[in-house]
Amino acid sequence: MTITPPALSVFEALESEVRSYCRGWPAVFDRAQGSYMYDEDGHTYLDFFAGAGALNYGHNNPVLKRALIDYIERDGVTHGLDMGTTAKRAFLESFQNTVLRPRDLPYKVMFPGPTGTNAVEAALKLARKVKGREAIVSFTNAFHGMSLGALAVTGNAFKRAGAGIPLVHGTPMPFDNYLDGRVPDFLWFERLLEDQGSGLNQPAAVIVETVQGEGGINVARNEWLRGLADLCKRRDMLLIVDDIQMGCGRTGPFFSFEEADITPDIVTLSKSIGGYGLPMSLALFRPELDIWEPGEHNGTFRGNNPAFVTAAAALDTYWADGQMEKQTLARGEQVQQALREICEEHVRLGAEYRGRGLVWGLEFTDPSRATAVCARAFELGLLVETSGPQGEVVKLLPPLTVSPEELDEGLRTLARAVRETA
């Protein structure tokens, strides 16, 4: 397939230079269904990016679309601030019955602003309010959002620089295997906490991703996560798990921390919690932490009722019987095998792969290689993006609803893109 870049004059003339994804995918997309997107010239693209993880159930999922259309056609409430609505009640009941109770999770549910970064801001504010301390510990190569508080606990230098002011009250620690296994887990962290001369103020909380998506698909071991949870408990720090990209089944279980058998104090969700790509986010926390004053953290669009409708439909459809987790893990094995074969074929490129469930990364020693692979994949009709501090990782994030045949198609296209850019 040969794709001719379309005329993008209106975008170039009116839209800010901050736009990014469109630069790697120079097409004007017109419609989408399931695992595929279609541009206005009729070209077909298999989507292995899934809205950066916001479309776990694919584009225009028919079950969710039907629920949304029915709700709109009956003049259901669209904008509701934090008022009680039938849509919100239905979501909360589904979330409690399908997600929280089966996992024996006692969390209260907070609706902050509809973006992931707002959920992180709420989590950080609450942790500081509960503990009466300012310091937050994060990890190398972390990404938690683009607002100032979230940037302060983000590792990427380019994104941090965009703040334009000092980012304070955040201290980074080495993520799992950051030091290649040469140093015992948390040795540096423990030493700083013990030493009155270390300069580290007693933290209110630690925030962590179980799999660092933007950081390069860095997967934390279960034993490392359990060690972190134990450290937080011993040292009177709250544990915040940012499950914005890795939650909602991306790694297999609904929450990415389930395999580690830990219960975080606070959890943030966004992206696919809305099910349909509609903006929505949650902050979940233990009931004893719910010391907010009414209105202390609010937002005009935290009552996105159409998102409540599609979110409830997604939970009821995909999470009532446990099949989604099994399917995701099976699809993950399919991806792992294909990436293993790619790495074996291109040993001289120094390629490595890693991941869990349906989030995988293919890392190249030369960062420009990953960019070239993504560009060629686009030309061949596959949407994939780079991640990692130098963009050295090709990131695979297909919908959880992808079929084995679609997955095989995309993986064969990826293998061809690697081969033709080697």
Side-chain angles (χ1 to χ4, degrees):
M1 176 173 65
T2 301
I3 297 172
T4 303
L8 298 175
S9 58
V10 67
F11 304 108
E12 294 167 349
L14 294 181
E15 194 176 0
S16 166
E17 292 298 318
V18 78
R19 64 193 189 280
S20 59
Y21 294 122
C22 59
R23 299 179 189 276
W25 302 329
V28 177
F29 295 99
D30 178 57
R31 62 189 182 90
Q33 173 60 50
S35 301
Y36 292 94
M37 298 189 73
Y38 307 87
D39 71 19
E40 62 181 358
D41 295 323
H43 298 122
T44 301
Y45 304 83
L46 185 54
D47 185 3
F48 272 27
F49 190 60
L55 296 166
N56 281 5
Y57 311 105
H59 294 272
N60 288 302
N61 183 289
V63 176
L64 312 189
K65 180 167 65 175
R66 185 71 265 159
L68 179 60
I69 290 173
D70 289 347
Y71 184 76
I72 293 172
E73 286 187 336
R74 74 167 183 81
D75 290 333
V77 174
T78 297
H79 182 272
L81 295 168
D82 68 356
M83 293 182 286
T85 64
T86 55
K88 181 194 282 189
R89 180 175 61 200
F91 166 72
L92 286 170
E93 290 173 347
S94 291
F95 193 69
Q96 183 178 46
N97 295 332
T98 306
V99 176
L100 297 182
R101 277 184 180 151
R103 293 161 181 80
D104 196 26
L105 294 172
Y107 296 135
K108 296 289 289 292
V109 178
M110 174 184 177
F111 299 99
T115 61
T117 196
N118 198 297
V120 170
E121 296 287 351
L124 300 180
K125 285 171 66 173
L126 181 59
R128 287 170 169 140
K129 180 179 175 68
V130 168
K131 292 299 183 183
R133 310 178 204 133
E134 297 177 351
I136 304 289
V137 166
S138 58
F139 291 94
T140 50
N141 290 313
F143 178 78
H144 296 290
M146 298 297 283
S147 50
L148 292 181
L151 278 176
V153 291
T154 287
N156 186 282
F158 173 74
K159 292 179 172 64
R160 289 176 62 87
I165 62 172
L167 296 171
V168 297
H169 308 304
T171 301
M173 292 292 166
F175 191 71
D176 190 17
N177 204 40
Y178 184 74
L179 299 172
D180 302 319
R182 293 173 294 177
V183 177
D185 295 339
F186 311 115
L187 177 66
W188 175 240
F189 195 175
E190 291 260 26
R191 183 63 185 271
L192 290 180
L193 290 170
E194 292 169 356
D195 186 359
Q196 295 299 306
S198 69
L200 175 64
N201 294 331
Q202 173 66 16
V206 176
I207 185 168
V208 68
E209 304 155 275
T210 66
V211 181
Q212 294 181 326
E214 296 302 309
I217 318 301
N218 305 314
V219 182
R221 294 167 296 135
N222 288 335
E223 54 266 37
W224 187 86
L225 291 169
R226 286 192 290 268
L228 177 61
D230 177 68
L231 175 60
C232 287
K233 186 176 182 179
R234 287 188 288 107
R235 295 290 183 173
D236 188 32
M237 302 177 294
L238 297 179
L239 176 60
I240 305 170
V241 168
D242 181 340
D243 236 5
I244 288 167
Q245 189 167 90
M246 298 304 154
C248 303
R250 177 53 58 180
T251 66
F254 187 85
F255 294 108
S256 69
F257 56 80
E258 291 182 51
E259 292 182 8
D261 194 27
I262 62 173
T263 303
D265 299 293
I266 304 175
V267 180
T268 59
L269 289 175
S270 187
K271 291 191 182 288
S272 277
I273 188 59
Y276 201 73
L278 298 175
M280 178 177 170
S281 74
L282 304 177
L284 313 175
F285 37 81
R286 297 181 185 273
E288 62 269 24
L289 304 181
D290 191 14
I291 62 171
W292 291 112
E293 296 291 335
E296 193 171 5
H297 186 96
N298 58 20
T300 303
F301 295 102
R302 66 195 184 280
N304 187 357
N305 282 255
F308 296 157
V309 171
T310 53
L315 295 177
D316 295 341
T317 302
Y318 293 103
W319 293 99
D321 60 6
Q323 292 305 305
M324 176 59 77
E325 178 176 349
K326 296 177 182 177
Q327 176 178 299
T328 298
L329 294 175
R331 300 285 192 274
E333 292 176 0
Q334 187 178 347
V335 177
Q336 184 176 18
Q337 176 60 31
L339 295 182
R340 181 185 298 117
E341 293 173 0
I342 290 174
C343 290
E344 290 173 350
E345 180 182 349
H346 300 283
V347 174
R348 66 181 181 82
L349 297 179
E352 298 181 355
Y353 66 93
R354 54 184 175 266
R356 278 177 57 194
L358 275 176
V359 52
W360 290 84
L362 181 62
E363 181 179 10
F364 294 92
T365 304
D366 178 2
S368 66
R369 181 74 59 194
T371 301
V373 168
C374 289
R376 182 57 181 148
F378 170 78
E379 294 171 350
L380 296 171
L382 176 68
L383 302 181
V384 286
E385 252 291 351
T386 61
S387 69
Q390 300 179 74
E392 71 275 21
V393 178
V394 176
K395 181 180 184 180
L396 307 183
L397 212 65
L400 305 186
T401 52
V402 67
S403 71
E405 295 76 21
E406 291 167 343
L407 200 52
D408 182 63
E409 175 190 348
L411 292 168
R412 283 189 283 107
T413 302
L414 176 64
R416 178 180 170 187
V418 174
R419 194 175 302 119
E420 293 182 0
T421 55

